[in-house]
Amino acid sequence: QVQLVESGGGLVQAGGSLRLSCAASGSISSINTMGWYRQAPGKQRELVAGITGGGSTNYEDSVKGRFTISRDSAKNTVYLQMNSLKPEDTAVYYCNLKQRRCSVYGCTNNDYWGQGTQVTVSS
């Protein structure tokens, strides 16, 4: 099993910054992608940013140039640096780990989620 523990959420004024962290522990495969999703009240959960084991990143359009995702593979930790925050960034942010594990019996894909951390941006 895999456990994801998030930290770093909170209340910030518009234009401010926050840094989210997510530490993964347990049975972690080397073939994985980590990312951050968010869900605002009444809206569907959406991908904010993702990063592969090789370091390739992708971002949701509205956060490009403001958010930066990074990872420390040795610590199995992913970070989301959020700058120039806007009220519309307010949401619960969830850490996600997608991993593929292969054996002589075949390969399986698994999806793991953190408990979520609230980010509130006041205007």
Side-chain angles (χ1 to χ4, degrees), residues 56-103:
S56 297
T57 59
N58 64 291
Y59 296 91
E60 195 269 327
D61 285 345
S62 70
V63 308
K64 288 180 180 177
R66 300 189 297 123
F67 291 10
T68 302
I69 189 170
S70 61
R71 67 187 292 169
D72 183 336
S73 295
K75 296 181 180 179
N76 290 319
T77 300
V78 65
Y79 306 95
L80 185 67
Q81 178 66 45
M82 305 185 292
N83 298 328
S84 302
L85 282 160
K86 304 175 180 180
E88 50 263 42
D89 295 317
T90 296
V92 178
Y93 284 69
Y94 296 91
C95 178
N96 173 264
L97 169 68
K98 301 182 189 301
Q99 70 175 16
R100 184 174 180 83
R101 185 177 295 280
C102 297
S103 70

Side-chain angles (χ1 to χ4, degrees), residues 36-39 44-49 60 62:
W36 290 93
Y37 289 70
R38 67 186 178 187
Q39 188 167 19
Q44 290 190 330
R45 190 173 297 189
E46 63 176 359
L47 175 67
V48 176
E60 195 269 327
S62 70

Side-chain angles (χ1 to χ4, degrees), residues 21-35:
S21 299
C22 172
S25 62
S27 181
I28 299 170
S29 163
S30 61
I31 307 173
N32 67 70
T33 296
M34 297 188 76

